[in-house]
Amino acid sequence: FTGIACPSTTTCYAVGSNNTTGTGVILATKDSGATWTSQAVPSVTISVNAVACPSATTCYAVGRGVILATTNSGATWTSQSVPSGTGGFTGIACPSTATCYTAGNGSSGAEILATTNFGTTWSSQPMPSGTSPLYSISCPSTSTCYAVGQEFSGSSYVGVVILATTNSGATWTSQSPPNRTYALFGVACPSTTTCYAVGQGTGAVGGLILTNAPSPGPPGCSSTRVGSANFPGGYWLATANGAVYSCGDAPFYGSLVTLGITPSKPIVGIAATPDNKGYWLVASDGGVFAFGDAAFYGSMGGKPLNKPVVGMAATPQGGYYEVASDGGIFSFGTPFHGSTGCLSLNQPIAGMEVSTDTTTVGTGTACGFTTPQARGGYQFVASDGGVFSFGNAVFAGSLGGQGITDVVGIAGS
C-alpha cells in the first residue's frame, strides 16, 4: 500500500498494487477499520499510488498512466481521460470535489495535470524546464499548490525540487530548499502559508523534515464559493502582458506568459468560446491569440489601423469581432453588420456586445454595410454612453449627451 485518504473518522480508502497479479488495489472501510473490503478497479489499472477524497462520496486515485474517480463511495471506479504521453502519477490533491491536481513523471519530465470540472477533462500544466520526477503534491486552496520531488540531468542527480503555484497552475515556480536537502518525498500544507515536507538529507543529516514557509508566487484568485459543488461558476481574467487567471471552475487553457510570448502591443480584451472550453486574447494592434478549442480565424495584427483595438467579442457560432476606438469593426469567421465609420463620434468606442439572436436579420443599414443583411448583430458603446446598434441588435436608448465620459463596456440582459 502506498497511499491512504480518510474523508471521515469512520471511512478510509487505501491504495496500492497486487504483487502477484500486477493490478491496482483499492480497499475501503466504512466502520473505522473493523472491516476492509476490496473495491473493483478498471482492468487497465497496473498500480494505484495515491488517493484523495474531497468528500465522503467522492475520491480520485492515481497510478501508472491512470486516473480513477468515484462519486458513489467507491461502489464504482471509472478511468478518466488523460493527455497522451503521461507517465506515472505518484501524488494527488483535491481542494474541492471539482478541482484536483496530480503530480508525477511524464514522457518529458515532471508533470502536473489539473481538472476544474470534476475530472471531465484533465490538462497538462507548464513545468519549469529540467524538473523530474515529482513525488507528492498538496493544495491548501483551489488556486495554491506545492509539489516536491527531485531533479535529474539524464541519469545524474541535480537537486531537490519544490514547485509552487498561487494562480491555479497558470505558472509553477521553483523554490529553494535549505542546504543539505537531498530528496523530498511528501508534502502537506494545512494553509497557503504553512507547509511541511519530509525526505532525505545529505551525509549525517539522514531523515529530514522541513517547515519552510513557502515564498509567495504569482497572484491567484481569492478563495470563494465560486466553482464549488454547491455554487458552480467561474471566469477568466487577462492582464496586459498576456497572463490569464482562472477563477472558480473556469479551466486554465494557457496564456502568453506560459508560452513565453511577449505581445508587441498590450492585451486589451479576452473572449470565451461558446462552449467555454477556450478563449481568445486580443492586443491593441488587433493581434489575436487562441487557446483551448478557440479557433483562429484571422486578426488585424500587422495591419494598419486608424485607431487602436479596444476589445473583442465572440459570437454564438464561434467567430469573433475586434472593435477599435473609432468604431471600426473587424469580423473574423462571422458576418459584418456595419460600423460607425461614417459617423463623427463625441467620445471613443469603449466596448461591444454581440446579439444572442442568431436567427433573424436586421431591417436597417449602417456605415459600410451592403445588402443583403445576414443574421445576427451587435452594439457599440462609447465612453459617453452613446449606444450604436447594428443588424438585429436592439436599440434601447443611451446616455449620450448627458455629460458622462467614463463608460467602459456594455453587456446584454
Side-chain angles (χ1 to χ4, degrees):
F1 295 105
T2 52
I4 189 170
C6 301
S8 74
T9 56
T10 58
T11 302
C12 291
Y13 299 84
V15 300
S17 59
N18 186 311
N19 292 333
T20 302
T21 62
T23 57
V25 172
I26 300 178
L27 300 186
T29 180
K30 307 296 175 63
D31 53 13
S32 303
T35 56
W36 290 82
T37 57
S38 295
Q39 298 198 317
V41 297
S43 59
V44 297
T45 309
I46 299 175
S47 64
V48 185
N49 299 325
V51 61
C53 298
S55 76
T57 58
T58 301
C59 293
Y60 299 85
V62 297
R64 191 182 305 174
V66 67
I67 300 176
L68 307 178
T70 182
T71 56
N72 54 13
S73 303
T76 55
W77 288 84
T78 58
S79 295
Q80 300 198 316
S81 298
V82 297
S84 60
T86 55
F89 301 114
T90 52
I92 186 168
C94 298
S96 76
T97 55
T99 302
C100 289
Y101 299 81
T102 179
N105 192 29
S107 58
S108 58
E111 184 165 41
I112 294 178
L113 303 185
T115 182
T116 57
N117 54 12
F118 302 91
T120 301
T121 56
W122 290 83
S123 56
S124 296
Q125 301 203 313
M127 295 286 97
S129 61
T131 306
S132 68
L134 296 172
Y135 300 131
S136 181
I137 188 170
S138 181
C139 299
S141 76
T142 56
S143 60
T144 301
C145 293
Y146 300 89
V148 299
Q150 287 180 297
E151 184 175 350
F152 291 87
S153 177
S155 59
S156 301
Y157 168 80
V158 175
V160 174
V161 172
I162 301 177
L163 301 182
T165 183
T166 56
N167 56 14
S168 302
T171 54
W172 287 84
T173 56
S174 298
Q175 302 199 329
S176 300
N179 293 333
R180 305 185 70 181
T181 305
Y182 180 78
L184 294 176
F185 301 115
V187 63
C189 301
S191 76
T192 57
T193 58
T194 302
C195 287
Y196 299 85
V198 296
Q200 179 182 354
T202 59
V205 174
L208 184 72
I209 298 177
L210 303 181
T211 55
N212 50 317
S215 60
C221 282
S222 59
S223 179
T224 69
R225 289 179 60 82
V226 172
S228 69
N230 297 323
F231 188 49
Y235 41 81
W236 294 279
L237 308 178
T239 62
N241 68 342
V244 175
Y245 299 92
S246 296
C247 301
D249 66 358
F252 179 72
Y253 296 111
S255 71
L256 296 185
V257 172
T258 58
L259 295 177
I261 296 175
T262 301
S264 57
K265 294 294 183 179
I267 297 300
V268 294
I270 184 172
T273 58
D275 61 4
N276 292 319
K277 294 183 179 180
Y279 41 76
W280 295 275
L281 299 179
V282 64
S284 62
D285 64 353
V288 172
F289 308 89
F291 298 89
D293 69 353
F296 179 76
Y297 296 101
S299 77
M300 293 302 293
K303 301 174 183 178
L305 297 174
N306 294 327
K307 294 292 183 179
V309 169
V310 294
M312 75 181 306
T315 68
Q317 299 89 342
Y320 48 83
Y321 297 100
E322 298 180 18
V323 62
S325 62
D326 62 354
I329 188 76
F330 312 103
S331 58
F332 300 94
T334 192
F336 174 75
H337 298 285
S339 74
T340 57
C342 63
L343 301 178
S344 177
L345 301 176
N346 295 323
Q347 294 292 330
I349 297 299
M352 74 176 296
E353 170 81 356
V354 174
S355 171
T356 57
D357 180 0
T358 61
T359 60
T360 62
V361 298
T363 57
T365 60
C367 305
F369 185 83
T370 57
T371 56
Q373 293 204 24
R375 297 182 178 91
Y378 42 75
Q379 298 154 320
F380 298 164
V381 65
S383 60
D384 64 354
V387 175
F388 308 90
S389 298
F390 304 89
N392 65 15
V394 174
F395 179 77
S398 76
L399 298 176
Q402 301 187 47
I404 296 175
T405 60
D406 57 357
V407 172
V408 296
I410 182 173
S413 66

